[in-house]
Amino acid sequence: MNVREGGVEVVVPEQDGDSITDDVFFNPVQELNRDLTVAVLRTYRDREPRAESYLDAMAASGIRGVRAAENGWDVTCADIDPDAIDLCRENFERNELPGEVVHRNANALMHESVFDIVDIDPFGTPIPFADAAFANTRDLVCVTATDTAPLCGAHFHSGVRKYSAIPRNTDYHAEVGVRILLSALARTAARYDTGVTPILTHSTNHYVRTYLELDHRATDANNAMDELGHIYHCEDCLHREYEYGLIANPPETCPACESNRVLTAGPVWLGATHDAEFVAEVRENLTEDMGSVKRANKLLDALEGELHEPTHYDQHRLCKEWTRSASGMDEFLERLRDAGHEASRAHYGGTTFKTPARVEEIRIATQ
């Protein structure tokens, strides 16, 4: 069937209800992901005018690569499935756009070739492709992870195996997933004396997407490693704190309620997960021909104003703990700010927010 996204029209596999009858994978739910990718590419061209080449390392139908080519990038699409390669070629031709299509293992291609931007969007964990991506990419590595259950701690042992870290299924499990992923990617890049800076990261629709700007000096890798640490979370009173460093030093009991049920998560990325100025510029590069433009605008609005605290709270979860009714989020946050605490909405959900205030301080300020 034909699908139109942005300014291109592509052929994608026929779908029968929720199942795809062809072997080549196409996910219509990922339109937001692809729309944001296009807006990021438009924005990044101004940030790094030298960047020209873009690799879609797991191209499938090639829709992401075709949309990048429409925006002036020198695109290479790769896939190991010969049917996907045929479909990619057809989609470049039907849109009269240039693009190289390569029947190649993604890891082999990334180790052998140099690209300015590499996009990794596999099914499941991206970690098997991370070494190759950081080995030769010049400027920007874009990564999608769809295995949120291991990342967030719901599938604990799988998360440990895949990400070499301890994930925890807390009330801010989506943020744990984001920061476990960024930690694993930063540690991988550091092996190649490369430092990463997340310029935009979001957790949406059961996947995590991040865009990592690269700096190729050992000191940059050291600086990125300095952003790693651990989160300590009390299962009883919801108190959480964090400290930098690769060696965990958790408290024996919770400093707020003296419970001994304190979880440790990490190493996680404790630094900023986005650049607010870049996020604002990405929003300016959204266009009305994008099917997800309203959702993308809402997401980027939340991200731009989001504090860089490494955990978030859910008002409903707190109010359940305090056995009181929840209030409107605007009113709730205003009370918190009036009490002298920084506070912002978080993009993880309508009742999520960030603040450096402790749980007891939040309770007192908002009662």
Side-chain angles (χ1 to χ4, degrees):
M1 67 178 182
N2 292 352
V3 168
R4 188 163 192 87
E5 280 192 11
V8 305
E9 185 177 273
V10 298
V11 177
V12 302
E14 291 288 341
Q15 297 180 57
D16 180 14
D18 291 331
S19 64
I20 295 176
T21 57
D22 249 351
D23 290 335
V24 181
F25 185 72
F26 170 75
N27 188 352
V29 176
Q30 290 280 35
E31 184 175 11
L32 172 65
N33 186 330
R34 294 187 290 268
D35 283 347
L36 285 174
T37 298
V38 170
V40 167
L41 291 176
R42 291 170 177 170
T43 307
Y44 199 76
R45 177 174 286 116
D46 294 331
R47 189 180 183 103
E48 183 49 80
R50 181 189 57 75
E52 297 178 347
S53 59
Y54 169 86
L55 170 67
D56 185 354
M58 297 107 188
S61 68
I63 186 169
R64 196 185 301 259
V66 171
R67 294 187 65 185
E70 183 205 11
N71 282 272
W73 290 87
D74 178 9
V75 173
T76 299
C77 283
D79 208 288
I80 59 172
D81 184 346
D83 292 334
I85 293 303
D86 291 341
L87 194 55
C88 283
R89 290 198 176 106
E90 179 181 349
N91 284 328
F92 276 108
E93 289 171 2
R94 74 184 290 117
N95 288 280
E96 299 181 345
L97 290 168
E100 182 179 8
V101 181
V102 181
H103 185 206
R104 195 81 171 94
N105 176 280
N107 281 329
L109 179 62
M110 288 186 288
H111 274 299
E112 293 169 356
S113 306
V114 177
F115 297 94
D116 297 321
I117 298 179
V118 163
D119 203 317
I120 305 172
D121 188 9
F123 178 78
T125 177
I127 294 303
F129 307 97
D131 276 275
F134 290 119
N136 282 325
T137 307
R138 289 192 183 99
D139 297 306
L140 190 70
V141 170
C142 318
V143 179
T144 302
T146 60
D147 60 331
T148 51
L151 276 171
C152 298
H155 295 167
F156 178 81
H157 294 292
S158 178
V160 172
R161 291 195 308 271
K162 292 175 181 176
Y163 295 98
S164 300
I166 303 297
R168 292 298 187 184
N169 192 13
T170 65
D171 50 308
Y172 46 94
H173 55 87
E175 181 138 29
V176 170
V178 163
R179 294 179 180 277
I180 289 285
L181 175 64
L182 290 176
S183 168
L185 294 174
R187 284 179 278 134
T188 302
R191 291 201 289 270
Y192 299 91
D193 290 341
T194 295
V196 300
T197 301
I199 54 177
L200 195 157
T201 309
H202 62 99
S203 178
T204 309
N205 292 339
H206 309 294
Y207 68 89
V208 178
R209 176 72 166 170
T210 188
Y211 302 84
L212 302 175
E213 191 167 36
L214 310 182
D215 293 291
H216 299 282
R217 297 180 302 177
T219 53
D220 299 313
N222 292 341
N223 291 337
M225 294 295 283
D226 287 342
E227 297 291 343
L228 303 183
H230 294 81
I231 295 171
Y232 309 125
H233 172 86
C234 176
E235 293 186 277
D236 288 327
C237 74
L238 307 184
H239 172 81
R240 72 285 307 265
E241 58 187 51
Y242 60 91
E243 68 174 349
Y244 289 86
L246 290 176
I247 300 175
N249 185 31
E252 293 186 5
T253 60
C254 172
C257 72
E258 298 186 352
S259 166
N260 62 1
R261 300 204 313 145
V262 178
L263 301 176
T264 298
V268 298
W269 177 268
L270 292 175
T273 61
H274 67 276
D275 176 334
E277 182 177 339
F278 184 81
V279 170
E281 292 169 356
V282 171
R283 189 174 62 249
E284 295 301 314
N285 278 304
L286 297 172
T287 49
E288 291 301 321
D289 62 355
M290 294 177 173
S292 71
V293 63
K294 291 183 179 179
R295 287 185 295 148
N297 263 309
K298 183 178 179 181
L299 172 62
L300 294 175
D301 278 341
L303 277 177
E304 183 186 359
E306 189 174 289
L307 294 176
H308 295 308
E309 291 296 313
T311 70
H312 67 263
Y313 296 93
D314 188 306
Q315 188 204 164
H316 286 178
R317 178 69 179 86
L318 290 175
C319 289
K320 180 180 179 181
E321 182 75 15
W322 301 330
T323 62
R324 77 185 197 201
S325 299
S327 60
M329 279 301 295
D330 289 339
E331 176 188 353
F332 184 87
L333 294 179
E334 190 63 31
R335 289 180 180 177
L336 199 51
R337 296 186 188 110
D338 287 345
H341 304 292
E342 283 188 290
S344 74
R345 287 181 177 267
H347 78 278
Y348 300 100
T351 59
T352 59
F353 66 99
K354 289 193 172 187
T355 179
R358 298 187 298 274
V359 173
E360 182 63 13
E361 293 172 327
I362 299 169
R363 185 188 68 78
I364 293 172
T366 58
Q367 63 187 358

